[in-house]
Amino acid sequence: MDFTGKKVIVTGATRGIGYATAEAFLRAGARVAVNGRSQASVDAAMATLGSNTVSAPGDISKADVCQAMVTDAVEALGGLNVLVTNAGVFFRGSIEETDEAAWDYVLDANLKGLFFCSRAALPALKASKGNIVHVASESGLNGYAETTAYCASKGAVVNLTRSMAIELAPDVRVNCVCPGAVETDMARAGFAIDGDEEAGLDRQRSQYPVGRIGTPEEVAKAILYLASDDAGFINAAALPMEGGATAGG
Ligand SMILES: NC(=O)c1ccc[n+]([C@@H]2O[C@H](COP(=O)([O-])OP(=O)(O)OC[C@H]3O[C@@H](n4cnc5c(N)ncnc54)[C@H](O)[C@@H]3O)[C@@H](O)[C@H]2O)c1
C-alpha cells in the first residue's frame, strides 16, 4: 500500500499496536504524528520510528487535550489524511470492583478521547476527504466476564463507528478494527494469571480457533488497508480479526 505524502495521526503510538501502525504507515511513505501520554514516551518512540514523524504528546482522556493535540499535529503535518484512534486502556475486575474511578479511567480513554480526537480532526479530514480508523476490540462484539467497563467502551466504539460513518459520508469514511488478544504490554498485564504473564497468554492462545493470538503488525496491516484507497467502498465496517473467535462454535 502506498501512502506517499499522506499525513497520519496515530494516538497511543508509543508502543504495541499503535507503534506497529505508525511504523507501517512510515514504511508506506506517510508522515506520522506520534501521540502518547507524555513527551518522554513520544520522544523515545520517535527515536526509533525515524525522522518522518512529528511529536504529538497529550493525554487523550481529556477533551481539551484532544483538541489541542490534534490541532497542533495537523498544523505540524500540514494537513491530515488519516486519523487512527488507537490509544486505550484495559481494566480487569468484577462489576463490584469497577468503581467510578475505574469506569472513568476506561471510558474516558477508550471512548471519550476517541470521540474528541475525531471531532477535532474533522475540519482537516473533510478538507482532504480523508478517513478515520478506530481501534475497537473483539470485546466490542462479544461480552466477557470481569471486563464490563472495557467491553462497554469497545461496544460503544463499534456503534459510534457506524453513527459517525453515516453522518460524515460521503466526505470522510469511518471504520474500526476489532482485534482479539494481541501480544502487547496490555495483553501481557491484563491477562496474567496470578501475576504469571506467560500463563495468561497461553490461556488466551488456547481459546482462539486458530490456536494463537494476534500480532501488532497484523492489526497494523488491517488498519492500513481500511485507511487506503483500496478500501474506498468500505464504510462503517467493524472488522473482526480474532481468528474466528466471534463466529460461534
Ligand atoms: N492487546 C490486545 O489484546 C488488544 C485487543 C483488542 C484491542 N486492543 C486495543 O488496541 C489499542 C492498543 O492496545 P495495545 O495492546 O497496543 O496497548 P498498550 O498498552 O501496549 O499501548 C497502548 C498505547 O496507548 C497509549 N495510551 C493509553 N492511554 C492513553 C491516553 N489517555 N492518552 C494518550 N495515550 C494513551 C499508551 O501510552 C500506549 O502507547 C487499545 O485501544 C486496546 O484497547 C488491544
Short mmCIF file of all heavy atoms in Angstrom, two decimals, residues 82-134:
data_model
loop_
_atom_site.label_atom_id
_atom_site.label_comp_id
_atom_site.label_asym_id
_atom_site.label_seq_id
_atom_site.Cartn_x
_atom_site.Cartn_y
_atom_site.Cartn_z
N VAL A 82 -5.43 10.74 7.47
CA VAL A 82 -5.91 9.58 8.23
C VAL A 82 -5.73 9.83 9.73
O VAL A 82 -4.66 10.27 10.17
CB VAL A 82 -5.13 8.29 7.86
CG1 VAL A 82 -5.65 7.10 8.66
CG2 VAL A 82 -5.19 8.01 6.37
N LEU A 83 -6.78 9.54 10.48
CA LEU A 83 -6.68 9.53 11.94
C LEU A 83 -6.88 8.10 12.42
O LEU A 83 -7.90 7.48 12.08
CB LEU A 83 -7.75 10.43 12.56
CG LEU A 83 -7.89 10.32 14.10
CD1 LEU A 83 -6.65 10.90 14.81
CD2 LEU A 83 -9.15 11.03 14.58
N VAL A 84 -5.92 7.59 13.18
CA VAL A 84 -6.08 6.27 13.81
C VAL A 84 -6.22 6.49 15.31
O VAL A 84 -5.29 6.95 15.97
CB VAL A 84 -4.88 5.35 13.53
CG1 VAL A 84 -5.11 3.98 14.17
CG2 VAL A 84 -4.65 5.19 12.03
N THR A 85 -7.41 6.20 15.84
CA THR A 85 -7.65 6.37 17.27
C THR A 85 -7.40 5.03 17.96
O THR A 85 -8.31 4.22 18.13
CB THR A 85 -9.08 6.85 17.53
OG1 THR A 85 -9.96 5.87 16.99
CG2 THR A 85 -9.37 8.19 16.92
N ASN A 86 -6.17 4.85 18.34
CA ASN A 86 -5.73 3.56 18.89
C ASN A 86 -5.55 3.59 20.41
O ASN A 86 -5.71 2.56 21.07
CB ASN A 86 -4.40 3.18 18.21
CG ASN A 86 -3.64 2.14 18.98
OD1 ASN A 86 -3.94 0.96 18.93
ND2 ASN A 86 -2.63 2.58 19.76
N ALA A 87 -5.23 4.75 20.97
CA ALA A 87 -4.91 4.81 22.41
C ALA A 87 -6.04 4.20 23.23
O ALA A 87 -7.22 4.47 22.97
CB ALA A 87 -4.68 6.26 22.84
N GLY A 88 -5.69 3.38 24.18
CA GLY A 88 -6.72 2.78 25.01
C GLY A 88 -6.11 2.12 26.23
O GLY A 88 -4.90 1.91 26.30
N VAL A 89 -6.98 1.82 27.19
CA VAL A 89 -6.54 1.17 28.43
C VAL A 89 -7.48 0.01 28.73
O VAL A 89 -8.59 -0.08 28.21
CB VAL A 89 -6.53 2.17 29.62
CG1 VAL A 89 -5.51 3.28 29.39
CG2 VAL A 89 -7.92 2.75 29.85
N PHE A 90 -6.99 -0.88 29.61
CA PHE A 90 -7.72 -2.11 29.96
C PHE A 90 -7.91 -2.13 31.47
O PHE A 90 -7.04 -1.67 32.21
CB PHE A 90 -6.87 -3.30 29.51
CG PHE A 90 -7.54 -4.65 29.65
CD1 PHE A 90 -8.56 -5.03 28.80
CD2 PHE A 90 -7.12 -5.54 30.62
CE1 PHE A 90 -9.17 -6.27 28.91
CE2 PHE A 90 -7.71 -6.79 30.74
CZ PHE A 90 -8.74 -7.16 29.88
N PHE A 91 -9.03 -2.65 31.91
CA PHE A 91 -9.23 -2.85 33.35
C PHE A 91 -9.94 -4.18 33.55
O PHE A 91 -10.99 -4.43 32.94
CB PHE A 91 -10.08 -1.73 33.95
CG PHE A 91 -10.45 -1.97 35.39
CD1 PHE A 91 -9.52 -1.72 36.40
CD2 PHE A 91 -11.70 -2.46 35.74
CE1 PHE A 91 -9.85 -1.96 37.73
CE2 PHE A 91 -12.04 -2.69 37.07
CZ PHE A 91 -11.10 -2.44 38.07
N ARG A 92 -9.34 -5.05 34.36
CA ARG A 92 -9.98 -6.33 34.66
C ARG A 92 -10.44 -6.33 36.10
O ARG A 92 -9.66 -6.03 37.01
CB ARG A 92 -8.99 -7.48 34.42
CG ARG A 92 -9.70 -8.83 34.36
CD ARG A 92 -8.77 -9.90 33.85
NE ARG A 92 -8.02 -10.50 34.93
CZ ARG A 92 -7.06 -11.40 34.77
NH1 ARG A 92 -6.69 -11.77 33.57
NH2 ARG A 92 -6.44 -11.91 35.80
N GLY A 93 -11.69 -6.64 36.32
CA GLY A 93 -12.23 -6.66 37.67
C GLY A 93 -13.72 -6.95 37.59
O GLY A 93 -14.35 -6.71 36.55
N SER A 94 -14.25 -7.47 38.68
CA SER A 94 -15.68 -7.76 38.71
C SER A 94 -16.49 -6.46 38.65
O SER A 94 -15.93 -5.37 38.80
CB SER A 94 -16.03 -8.49 40.02
OG SER A 94 -15.83 -7.60 41.10
N ILE A 95 -17.80 -6.60 38.50
CA ILE A 95 -18.66 -5.41 38.49
C ILE A 95 -18.51 -4.68 39.83
O ILE A 95 -18.40 -3.46 39.88
CB ILE A 95 -20.12 -5.82 38.23
CG1 ILE A 95 -20.24 -6.37 36.80
CG2 ILE A 95 -21.08 -4.65 38.45
CD1 ILE A 95 -21.55 -7.06 36.48
N GLU A 96 -18.45 -5.44 40.93
CA GLU A 96 -18.30 -4.81 42.25
C GLU A 96 -16.97 -4.07 42.37
O GLU A 96 -16.87 -3.06 43.07
CB GLU A 96 -18.39 -5.86 43.37
CG GLU A 96 -19.78 -6.46 43.57
CD GLU A 96 -20.10 -7.61 42.62
OE1 GLU A 96 -19.33 -7.85 41.66
OE2 GLU A 96 -21.14 -8.28 42.84
N GLU A 97 -15.96 -4.58 41.72
CA GLU A 97 -14.64 -3.92 41.80
C GLU A 97 -14.52 -2.72 40.86
O GLU A 97 -13.55 -1.97 40.94
CB GLU A 97 -13.54 -4.95 41.44
CG GLU A 97 -13.30 -5.97 42.52
CD GLU A 97 -12.56 -7.21 42.03
OE1 GLU A 97 -12.44 -7.42 40.80
OE2 GLU A 97 -12.10 -7.97 42.88
N THR A 98 -15.49 -2.56 39.97
CA THR A 98 -15.43 -1.46 39.00
C THR A 98 -16.07 -0.23 39.63
O THR A 98 -17.28 0.00 39.50
CB THR A 98 -16.14 -1.87 37.68
OG1 THR A 98 -15.54 -3.08 37.19
CG2 THR A 98 -16.00 -0.79 36.63
N ASP A 99 -15.25 0.55 40.32
CA ASP A 99 -15.78 1.76 40.96
C ASP A 99 -15.77 2.91 39.95
O ASP A 99 -15.39 2.74 38.79
CB ASP A 99 -14.99 2.10 42.24
CG ASP A 99 -13.50 2.31 41.95
OD1 ASP A 99 -13.13 2.46 40.77
OD2 ASP A 99 -12.72 2.31 42.92
N GLU A 100 -16.18 4.09 40.40
CA GLU A 100 -16.31 5.21 39.47
C GLU A 100 -14.96 5.57 38.85
O GLU A 100 -14.88 5.91 37.66
CB GLU A 100 -16.91 6.43 40.19
CG GLU A 100 -17.21 7.58 39.24
CD GLU A 100 -17.88 8.75 39.94
OE1 GLU A 100 -18.14 8.67 41.16
OE2 GLU A 100 -18.15 9.75 39.25
N ALA A 101 -13.89 5.46 39.64
CA ALA A 101 -12.57 5.81 39.11
C ALA A 101 -12.17 4.84 37.99
O ALA A 101 -11.64 5.25 36.95
CB ALA A 101 -11.54 5.77 40.24
N ALA A 102 -12.44 3.55 38.19
CA ALA A 102 -12.09 2.56 37.16
C ALA A 102 -12.93 2.78 35.90
O ALA A 102 -12.44 2.73 34.78
CB ALA A 102 -12.31 1.14 37.70
N TRP A 103 -14.22 3.03 36.11
CA TRP A 103 -15.13 3.28 34.98
C TRP A 103 -14.65 4.48 34.16
O TRP A 103 -14.52 4.42 32.93
CB TRP A 103 -16.55 3.52 35.52
CG TRP A 103 -17.56 3.81 34.46
CD1 TRP A 103 -17.95 5.04 34.02
CD2 TRP A 103 -18.28 2.85 33.67
NE1 TRP A 103 -18.88 4.92 33.02
CE2 TRP A 103 -19.11 3.59 32.78
CE3 TRP A 103 -18.31 1.46 33.64
CZ2 TRP A 103 -19.95 2.96 31.86
CZ3 TRP A 103 -19.16 0.84 32.72
CH2 TRP A 103 -19.96 1.59 31.85
N ASP A 104 -14.35 5.60 34.87
CA ASP A 104 -13.92 6.81 34.16
C ASP A 104 -12.57 6.59 33.47
O ASP A 104 -12.35 7.08 32.36
CB ASP A 104 -13.81 7.99 35.14
CG ASP A 104 -15.18 8.48 35.59
OD1 ASP A 104 -16.19 8.08 34.98
OD2 ASP A 104 -15.24 9.25 36.57
N TYR A 105 -11.68 5.87 34.14
CA TYR A 105 -10.35 5.57 33.55
C TYR A 105 -10.52 4.90 32.19
O TYR A 105 -9.88 5.29 31.20
CB TYR A 105 -9.61 4.67 34.54
CG TYR A 105 -8.34 4.03 34.02
CD1 TYR A 105 -7.21 4.80 33.74
CD2 TYR A 105 -8.25 2.64 33.85
CE1 TYR A 105 -6.03 4.20 33.28
CE2 TYR A 105 -7.09 2.04 33.40
CZ TYR A 105 -5.99 2.82 33.12
OH TYR A 105 -4.84 2.22 32.66
N VAL A 106 -11.40 3.90 32.13
CA VAL A 106 -11.57 3.13 30.89
C VAL A 106 -12.38 3.93 29.86
O VAL A 106 -11.97 4.07 28.70
CB VAL A 106 -12.26 1.78 31.18
CG1 VAL A 106 -12.57 1.05 29.89
CG2 VAL A 106 -11.39 0.93 32.08
N LEU A 107 -13.52 4.44 30.27
CA LEU A 107 -14.41 5.11 29.30
C LEU A 107 -13.81 6.42 28.79
O LEU A 107 -13.99 6.77 27.62
CB LEU A 107 -15.79 5.35 29.93
CG LEU A 107 -16.84 4.24 29.81
CD1 LEU A 107 -17.31 4.08 28.37
CD2 LEU A 107 -16.37 2.91 30.35
N ASP A 108 -13.09 7.14 29.65
CA ASP A 108 -12.53 8.43 29.20
C ASP A 108 -11.46 8.23 28.14
O ASP A 108 -11.34 9.01 27.20
CB ASP A 108 -11.94 9.21 30.39
CG ASP A 108 -13.03 9.81 31.26
OD1 ASP A 108 -14.23 9.66 30.92
OD2 ASP A 108 -12.69 10.42 32.29
N ALA A 109 -10.64 7.19 28.29
CA ALA A 109 -9.59 6.94 27.29
C ALA A 109 -10.16 6.26 26.05
O ALA A 109 -9.93 6.68 24.92
CB ALA A 109 -8.47 6.09 27.89
N ASN A 110 -10.95 5.20 26.27
CA ASN A 110 -11.35 4.35 25.14
C ASN A 110 -12.50 4.92 24.32
O ASN A 110 -12.62 4.59 23.14
CB ASN A 110 -11.76 2.96 25.64
CG ASN A 110 -10.61 2.21 26.27
OD1 ASN A 110 -9.52 2.75 26.44
ND2 ASN A 110 -10.85 0.96 26.63
N LEU A 111 -13.32 5.75 24.94
CA LEU A 111 -14.50 6.25 24.22
C LEU A 111 -14.50 7.78 24.09
O LEU A 111 -14.54 8.31 22.99
CB LEU A 111 -15.77 5.78 24.94
CG LEU A 111 -17.10 6.16 24.29
CD1 LEU A 111 -17.20 5.63 22.87
CD2 LEU A 111 -18.26 5.65 25.15
N LYS A 112 -14.39 8.46 25.22
CA LYS A 112 -14.46 9.93 25.16
C LYS A 112 -13.29 10.49 24.35
O LYS A 112 -13.47 11.34 23.48
CB LYS A 112 -14.46 10.51 26.58
CG LYS A 112 -14.74 12.01 26.61
CD LYS A 112 -14.91 12.53 28.02
CE LYS A 112 -13.56 12.98 28.58
NZ LYS A 112 -13.70 13.57 29.93
N GLY A 113 -12.09 10.00 24.64
CA GLY A 113 -10.91 10.50 23.94
C GLY A 113 -10.97 10.23 22.45
O GLY A 113 -10.60 11.08 21.63
N LEU A 114 -11.43 9.05 22.12
CA LEU A 114 -11.55 8.66 20.71
C LEU A 114 -12.53 9.59 19.99
O LEU A 114 -12.27 10.07 18.88
CB LEU A 114 -12.01 7.21 20.68
CG LEU A 114 -12.34 6.49 19.40
CD1 LEU A 114 -11.97 5.01 19.54
CD2 LEU A 114 -13.82 6.62 19.09
N PHE A 115 -13.65 9.90 20.65
CA PHE A 115 -14.64 10.79 20.04
C PHE A 115 -14.08 12.20 19.87
O PHE A 115 -14.20 12.82 18.81
CB PHE A 115 -15.92 10.83 20.89
CG PHE A 115 -16.93 11.83 20.36
CD1 PHE A 115 -17.73 11.52 19.27
CD2 PHE A 115 -17.06 13.08 20.94
CE1 PHE A 115 -18.64 12.45 18.76
CE2 PHE A 115 -17.96 14.01 20.44
CZ PHE A 115 -18.76 13.69 19.36
N PHE A 116 -13.43 12.71 20.92
CA PHE A 116 -12.99 14.11 20.84
C PHE A 116 -11.76 14.29 19.95
O PHE A 116 -11.58 15.36 19.37
CB PHE A 116 -12.83 14.71 22.24
CG PHE A 116 -14.16 15.09 22.82
CD1 PHE A 116 -14.80 14.28 23.75
CD2 PHE A 116 -14.82 16.23 22.39
CE1 PHE A 116 -16.05 14.60 24.26
CE2 PHE A 116 -16.08 16.56 22.88
CZ PHE A 116 -16.69 15.75 23.82
N CYS A 117 -10.93 13.26 19.81
CA CYS A 117 -9.86 13.34 18.80
C CYS A 117 -10.47 13.37 17.40
O CYS A 117 -10.04 14.14 16.54
CB CYS A 117 -8.90 12.15 18.93
SG CYS A 117 -7.79 12.27 20.33
N SER A 118 -11.50 12.55 17.18
CA SER A 118 -12.16 12.52 15.88
C SER A 118 -12.79 13.87 15.56
O SER A 118 -12.65 14.41 14.46
CB SER A 118 -13.24 11.44 15.85
OG SER A 118 -12.71 10.19 16.20
N ARG A 119 -13.49 14.39 16.55
CA ARG A 119 -14.18 15.68 16.37
C ARG A 119 -13.19 16.78 16.01
O ARG A 119 -13.42 17.59 15.11
CB ARG A 119 -14.92 16.01 17.68
CG ARG A 119 -15.77 17.25 17.68
CD ARG A 119 -16.52 17.28 19.02
NE ARG A 119 -17.35 18.46 19.17
CZ ARG A 119 -16.98 19.56 19.79
NH1 ARG A 119 -15.77 19.65 20.32
NH2 ARG A 119 -17.82 20.58 19.91
N ALA A 120 -12.04 16.77 16.70
CA ALA A 120 -11.04 17.81 16.45
C ALA A 120 -10.42 17.66 15.06
O ALA A 120 -9.97 18.64 14.46
CB ALA A 120 -9.94 17.72 17.52
N ALA A 121 -10.40 16.43 14.54
CA ALA A 121 -9.76 16.18 13.24
C ALA A 121 -10.69 16.46 12.06
O ALA A 121 -10.23 16.47 10.91
CB ALA A 121 -9.29 14.72 13.18
N LEU A 122 -11.98 16.68 12.31
CA LEU A 122 -12.94 16.75 11.21
C LEU A 122 -12.66 17.84 10.17
O LEU A 122 -12.74 17.56 8.97
CB LEU A 122 -14.36 16.90 11.74
CG LEU A 122 -14.96 15.60 12.29
CD1 LEU A 122 -16.43 15.80 12.61
CD2 LEU A 122 -14.78 14.46 11.30
N PRO A 123 -12.33 19.08 10.57
CA PRO A 123 -12.09 20.09 9.52
C PRO A 123 -11.00 19.65 8.55
O PRO A 123 -11.18 19.74 7.33
CB PRO A 123 -11.67 21.33 10.33
CG PRO A 123 -12.27 21.13 11.68
CD PRO A 123 -12.25 19.64 11.93
N ALA A 124 -9.92 19.10 9.07
CA ALA A 124 -8.81 18.69 8.20
C ALA A 124 -9.21 17.46 7.38
O ALA A 124 -8.86 17.36 6.19
CB ALA A 124 -7.57 18.39 9.03
N LEU A 125 -9.93 16.52 7.97
CA LEU A 125 -10.31 15.31 7.24
C LEU A 125 -11.36 15.61 6.17
O LEU A 125 -11.34 15.03 5.08
CB LEU A 125 -10.83 14.24 8.21
CG LEU A 125 -9.77 13.60 9.11
CD1 LEU A 125 -10.43 12.64 10.10
CD2 LEU A 125 -8.71 12.87 8.28
N LYS A 126 -12.26 16.53 6.46
CA LYS A 126 -13.26 16.91 5.45
C LYS A 126 -12.56 17.59 4.27
O LYS A 126 -12.91 17.36 3.11
CB LYS A 126 -14.31 17.84 6.04
CG LYS A 126 -15.34 17.10 6.91
CD LYS A 126 -16.40 18.04 7.45
CE LYS A 126 -17.47 17.28 8.22
NZ LYS A 126 -18.45 18.16 8.88
N ALA A 127 -11.55 18.40 4.58
CA ALA A 127 -10.82 19.10 3.51
C ALA A 127 -10.07 18.12 2.62
O ALA A 127 -9.97 18.32 1.41
CB ALA A 127 -9.85 20.12 4.13
N SER A 128 -9.55 17.05 3.20
CA SER A 128 -8.73 16.10 2.41
C SER A 128 -9.54 14.91 1.91
O SER A 128 -8.99 14.05 1.23
CB SER A 128 -7.58 15.58 3.28
OG SER A 128 -8.07 14.74 4.32
N LYS A 129 -10.83 14.83 2.29
CA LYS A 129 -11.63 13.62 2.02
C LYS A 129 -10.90 12.40 2.58
O LYS A 129 -10.71 11.38 1.91
CB LYS A 129 -11.89 13.43 0.52
CG LYS A 129 -12.59 14.61 -0.13
CD LYS A 129 -14.09 14.35 -0.27
CE LYS A 129 -14.81 15.40 -1.10
NZ LYS A 129 -15.45 16.45 -0.31
N GLY A 130 -10.50 12.56 3.83
CA GLY A 130 -9.71 11.53 4.50
C GLY A 130 -10.57 10.51 5.20
O GLY A 130 -11.77 10.38 4.93
N ASN A 131 -9.98 9.79 6.12
CA ASN A 131 -10.76 8.77 6.83
C ASN A 131 -10.22 8.51 8.22
O ASN A 131 -9.11 8.92 8.58
CB ASN A 131 -10.85 7.47 6.02
CG ASN A 131 -9.54 6.74 5.92
OD1 ASN A 131 -9.18 5.97 6.81
ND2 ASN A 131 -8.79 6.97 4.84
N ILE A 132 -11.06 7.82 9.01
CA ILE A 132 -10.73 7.50 10.40
C ILE A 132 -10.78 5.99 10.56
O ILE A 132 -11.69 5.33 10.05
CB ILE A 132 -11.76 8.13 11.37
CG1 ILE A 132 -11.78 9.66 11.24
CG2 ILE A 132 -11.46 7.71 12.82
CD1 ILE A 132 -12.88 10.34 12.07
N VAL A 133 -9.78 5.44 11.26
CA VAL A 133 -9.86 4.03 11.67
C VAL A 133 -9.78 4.01 13.20
O VAL A 133 -8.78 4.44 13.79
CB VAL A 133 -8.73 3.17 11.07
CG1 VAL A 133 -8.92 1.71 11.50
CG2 VAL A 133 -8.71 3.28 9.55
N HIS A 134 -10.85 3.56 13.82
CA HIS A 134 -10.86 3.39 15.27
C HIS A 134 -10.34 2.00 15.61
O HIS A 134 -10.61 1.02 14.89
CB HIS A 134 -12.28 3.50 15.83
CG HIS A 134 -12.94 4.82 15.63
ND1 HIS A 134 -12.36 6.02 15.98
CD2 HIS A 134 -14.16 5.14 15.11
CE1 HIS A 134 -13.19 7.01 15.69
NE2 HIS A 134 -14.28 6.51 15.17
#
